[in-house]
Amino acid sequence: MNASSTPYGIIAEFSNTASLLHAAEKVRDAGFRKWDVFTPFPVHGMDQAMGLRNSKVGWFTFIGGVTGYTTGMIMIWWMNAVDYPLVVGGKPMFSPFHAFPPSYELTILFGAFGSLFGMMFLNRLPRLHHPLLKHRQFAQVTHDKFFIVIECADPKYSETETKKLLEHAGSPRIEMVEE
Amino acid sequence: MNRSSAHLPLNLAKYRNVPNILMAVGGALAALGFFVNREQFAFSWLLAFMFFLSLGLGALFLVLVHHLFDAAWSVPIRRISEQLSTILFPTMALLFLPIAFLAPQVYPWMREPHPELDHALHAKYPLFTMSGFYVTSALCFLIWWWLSSNLRGWSLKQDQTGGALPTYKLRRYSCVGIILFAVTLTLGAVMWMKALMHEWFSTMYGVYYFAGSVWMTLATVYVITMVLDRQKVLSNILHANQYYYIGSLLFAFTVFYAYIHFSQYFIIWNANMPEETFWYLAREKGSWFYVGIVIIFGHFFIPFLGLLRIDVKSVFPYMLAICVWAWLMHFVDLSFNIMPILHPQGFVLHWLDLGCWAFMTGLVATVFLKKFAAHPPYPLKDPRLSEALGLYHAMPDSFSAADLSPQHGRQGGK
C-alpha cells in the first residue's frame, strides 16, 4: 500500500437534518454532480433537496421480468409441445393458461435478479474499500452526525470555493478526505 | 410536479345541466324500452345497476379501510368516498326496485316449475327461494344504509364538535363493517349477477366483483380529486402524494383483479368439470370470445403496463385517460357477466344499455353533487388532518427539553 496523498474529496459535517437539507439544496443549486449525502436514518425530502431523479433500477427489474416471462413461456412450449409432446389430463400440448403460473414465477425471479444486480451495477458494487472508511469522524454517520461529501473528480470542484460554499451552508467542520 | 391546482379553475357552470340531460334522455329511452322490449330493458337495467352499485360499494370499502388502517394520507379525500358510499341508500335501493319487480323475467331459476327437483337449487336452499331472494336483497340494503349513513354521519359530526368520540365510533363501525361488507357484497354479487346461471358456483365470485368495483371506484375518486384540486376546493390540503397513492392503489387493484379472475378461470379450466366449465363455455361462443380477450388485455395488460412507471401516476391528462378506460372496461366486464344469458350468440351494444346507464349516471351524479355541496369538502377536524398536511415532523430544535418533562410531555405528545 502506497502512502499516497491524492485527495478524494471534501467532507462537511452537520449536526441536524434541517441544516443538512438546506446545505444539500445549496450544493444542488451550485450544479455539483459527484457528491452525496450520508445520514444515520432516511431524511424525508432529501431526494428533492439533492435533486435526485427516479432510480434507474426499475428498468433492470422490468427487463428482468419480461425476460423471465418469455423464458418461461418458450421453455414450457418447447418442452411440452415440441421436444417431448405428452398429453396431461386431456389438455392441449401448449396453452398460455397452464404455462402462466411457472412463467409468472420466472417473471418474479428474473425481476428480482434484475433489481438486485441492476442495483449493484449502478452502485458499482461489490467494492472492497472506500476512501471515506479511513476518515475517523465519518464513523459517526451511524450514530448522530450528518455528512455531505463532494468529490474532487467533480468538474465544478475547487478546493477553496467548494470549502467556502459548505461553510456558508453552515457546516461547523469541513475536512479533506484522502484517496 | 405539475399539479392541476397550478392552472386556472375550469368553468364547470356550463356543464351544470349535463346530469339533467343524461337523466332526461336516458330516462326516456329506459321508459320506452320498458314497453317496447321488457326483457332487454331488465338486463340493461341490471347491468347499469351493478355498475353503479360497484361505485357505492367501492367507496364504502375505501372509507372502511381508511379507518381500519388509521390512515393519515387519505384524510383529505375521505369525504369524497363518504358521500359516494351513501348513494347505496336510498338511491341504489330505489334503482333496485325494477329488478325486484322483473326478477322472475331476469333470473331463470325463478321460472323453474319444480325447484325441488333441481339439485343446484336444493343445495342452496333456502337462499334460492323467492323469499330468500327478497329477504337477502333487503338485508343487504339495510346493512349498507346503516354503515354508510353512520360512517358519513359521525364524520360530519366531528366537523362540528372536533371531539375524539367520532373517531372511536368510526373505528368501531369499520371493524364490524368490514365483515358485514364482505358478506353482503358477496351475497349481492351472487344473488343478482351470478344467479343468472344458478347451477354455477365459484368461491371467487364475490371477490371478483369486489376487485373490479374498487378498481373503478379508485379511478372515479382520482378524477374527482383532480377536479376538486383544479377548482381550488382541495388544493390547500392536498399533496402530490395523494395522487401517487390513489394511483398506486389503482395499479394494485389492476393486478388484484387479474389475479382473482385468472385464478377463477384457471381452476375451472384445470379441473375441467362440466358443472363448472359451462359458465365459461357460454362466454366463448360467438363474439363473447373476443370480449374475453378484450378483458384480458384491456382490463389487465394495458392498465398494468400503463401504470407501471412511478411518475405517470401524477400525470393528469394521462391518468384521466386511464380512469375513463377503467369505467369502460368495468362496463365491458359486467356485460361479460350478465349479457350472455340474453344474447348467447355474441356481444350486442343495445341502445337500452346506453339509456339505462345514462339515466343512472345522471341520477348518481346529481345525488352525489348535491350531497357533496351541502357539507365541508374534507373532514375539517380529523385528528390526522395535520399529519396528512405533512405538518408532523417535529424538528429537534423546535421544542426544548422542558417540553419533554413529565408535566408538559402529556400535552406536547399526541
Side-chain angles (χ1 to χ4, degrees):
Chain A
M1 291 250 280
N2 293 335
S4 72
S5 62
T6 345
Y8 167 75
I10 196 161
I11 184 168
E13 183 184 305
F14 294 87
S15 55
N16 61 55
T17 50
S19 56
L20 180 79
L21 268 173
H22 294 310
E25 282 167 356
K26 285 206 175 96
V27 177
R28 171 197 69 192
D29 294 341
F32 286 95
R33 297 173 61 89
K34 290 186 171 239
W35 65 290
D36 211 345
V37 173
F38 301 86
T39 60
F41 48 80
V43 177
H44 289 285
M46 186 51 86
D47 286 11
Q48 289 94 314
M50 289 179 70
L52 290 182
R53 267 186 267 152
N54 190 17
S55 157
K56 288 190 179 68
V57 172
W59 284 106
F60 290 88
T61 315
F62 180 72
I63 292 163
V66 170
T67 313
Y69 185 78
T70 36
T71 308
M73 282 286 171
I74 292 170
M75 179 180 76
I76 292 163
W77 165 78
W78 167 255
M79 293 194 305
N80 277 5
V82 179
D83 191 40
Y84 200 96
L86 192 64
V87 179
V88 180
K91 293 283 188 291
M93 295 296 183
F94 177 77
S95 159
F97 299 112
H98 74 224
F100 185 79
S103 308
Y104 165 73
E105 280 164 26
L106 273 183
T107 311
I108 304 295
L109 182 69
F110 281 34
F113 284 159
S115 305
L116 179 67
F117 294 116
M119 180 277 290
M120 291 177 84
F121 170 72
L122 291 174
N123 282 326
R124 292 172 177 79
L125 291 172
R127 179 172 181 171
L128 297 176
H129 183 69
H130 195 279
L132 282 173
L133 298 175
K134 281 192 300 193
H135 195 260
R136 289 187 73 102
Q137 186 65 12
F138 187 70
Q140 293 297 312
V141 77
T142 59
H143 186 50
D144 64 347
K145 290 283 182 270
F146 307 84
F147 295 94
I148 289 181
V149 176
I150 301 177
E151 290 179 31
C152 302
D154 193 289
K156 289 240 168 188
Y157 179 83
S158 109
E159 197 174 329
T160 50
E161 289 300 308
T162 309
K163 259 189 186 163
K164 219 180 272 175
L165 174 82
L166 288 166
E167 267 165 25
H168 277 297
S171 169
R173 185 168 174 160
I174 298 168
E175 286 171 8
M176 293 300 295
V177 185
E178 283 173 2
E179 196 73 64
Chain B
M1 174 89 54
N2 187 16
R3 277 267 298 281
S4 65
S5 57
H7 302 277
L8 284 174
L10 299 166
N11 179 17
L12 294 180
K14 57 183 172 184
Y15 301 111
R16 191 151 295 211
N17 258 329
V18 170
N20 296 333
I21 295 167
L22 281 174
M23 255 197 293
V25 175
L29 287 175
L32 180 69
F34 181 79
F35 294 106
V36 177
N37 188 348
R38 189 152 310 170
E39 204 181 15
Q40 176 67 47
F41 164 81
F43 275 83
S44 299
W45 189 271
L46 179 67
L47 174 56
F49 170 82
M50 291 309 287
F51 184 87
F52 285 102
L53 186 73
S54 291
L55 189 58
L57 287 173
L60 183 60
F61 174 74
L62 292 183
V63 179
L64 288 170
V65 283
H66 170 94
H67 294 301
L68 285 176
F69 285 98
D70 195 8
W73 71 269
S74 48
V75 172
I77 55 162
R78 201 181 75 211
R79 190 55 49 83
I80 302 170
S81 305
E82 283 170 356
Q83 303 286 21
L84 270 179
S85 71
T86 53
I87 64 163
L88 286 170
F89 196 93
T91 315
M92 291 318 289
L94 290 174
L95 292 174
F96 181 71
L97 290 179
I99 298 165
F101 287 122
L102 295 173
Q105 273 165 279
V106 180
Y107 302 104
W109 67 267
M110 290 189 180
R111 298 195 291 270
E112 203 76 47
H114 296 289
E116 66 279 6
L117 298 179
D118 186 316
H119 180 66
L121 289 181
H122 175 72
K124 291 160 190 169
Y125 186 85
L127 197 60
F128 278 62
T129 56
M130 291 305 266
S131 45
F133 178 83
Y134 289 110
V135 168
T136 316
S137 304
L139 201 68
C140 285
F141 282 111
L142 283 176
I143 287 172
W144 295 334
W145 179 26
W146 181 69
L147 276 178
S148 61
S149 65
N150 275 302
L151 287 169
R152 171 176 171 268
W154 280 103
S155 176
L156 290 176
K157 207 165 279 178
Q158 194 167 45
D159 282 355
Q160 272 140 27
T161 64
L165 179 71
T167 297
Y168 292 116
K169 283 273 182 192
L170 287 165
R171 278 182 203 161
R172 282 202 199 107
Y173 277 111
S174 302
C175 288
V176 184
I178 195 76
I179 294 163
L180 291 175
F181 172 82
V183 174
T184 49
L185 179 137
T186 308
L187 280 174
V190 168
M191 296 306 288
W192 303 333
M193 209 157 70
K194 191 171 79 92
L196 293 164
M197 281 184 172
H198 74 279
E199 298 94 339
W200 192 58
F201 43 87
S202 162
T203 47
M204 295 279 189
Y205 202 74
V207 190
Y208 164 54
Y209 181 67
F210 161 78
S213 298
V214 178
W215 189 63
M216 73 83 82
T217 308
L218 285 164
T220 315
V221 170
Y222 191 101
V223 174
I224 295 174
T225 309
M226 195 166 79
V227 173
L228 291 173
D229 194 3
R230 175 103 188 225
Q231 302 308 106
K232 315 281 185 217
V233 177
L234 290 182
S235 21
N236 290 332
I237 56 161
L238 283 177
H239 280 266
N241 60 6
Q242 266 89 21
Y243 292 107
Y244 173 65
Y245 291 150
I246 310 173
S248 300
L249 274 175
L250 187 65
F251 178 68
F253 270 85
T254 309
V255 180
F256 182 59
Y257 168 87
Y259 170 71
I260 292 299
H261 202 170
F262 177 78
S263 301
Q264 178 175 283
Y265 184 85
F266 183 67
I267 288 166
I268 290 170
W269 182 86
N270 215 19
N272 207 12
M273 295 192 293
E275 62 262 43
E276 290 174 350
T277 50
F278 76 97
W279 195 88
Y280 276 110
L281 278 177
R283 281 154 183 82
E284 286 178 13
K285 297 228 168 73
S287 57
W288 287 116
F289 174 80
Y290 299 101
V291 175
I293 298 290
V294 165
I295 290 174
I296 293 174
F297 285 92
H299 208 302
F300 175 62
F301 275 105
I302 292 173
F304 173 76
L305 294 172
L307 288 167
L308 199 52
R309 278 183 65 96
I310 196 167
D311 48 1
V312 297
K313 298 182 185 78
S314 322
V315 179
F316 293 117
Y318 185 87
M319 285 302 287
L320 183 65
I322 295 253
C323 292
V324 172
W325 182 253
W327 267 47
L328 181 68
M329 278 302 115
H330 189 58
F331 189 83
V332 171
D333 185 32
L334 292 181
S335 188
F336 180 78
N337 274 272
I338 292 168
M339 287 301 173
I341 288 85
L342 187 65
H343 302 293
Q345 71 287 355
F347 178 75
V348 178
L349 186 64
H350 200 271
W351 55 268
L352 263 170
D353 292 344
L354 297 174
C356 293
W357 185 83
F359 172 71
M360 289 194 203
T361 310
L363 183 69
V364 166
T366 309
V367 170
F368 169 72
L369 290 173
K370 202 172 163 224
K371 285 184 174 187
F372 195 81
H375 297 285
Y378 61 93
L380 295 177
K381 293 175 182 170
D382 189 282
R384 290 207 178 269
L385 184 63
S386 61
E387 196 174 328
L389 295 173
L391 301 174
Y392 60 99
H393 286 295
M395 288 295 173
D397 47 1
S398 66
F399 53 84
S400 67
D403 292 335
L404 298 174
S405 68
Q407 298 95 300
H408 293 89
R410 294 282 181 278
Q411 295 161 1
K414 269 195 275 187

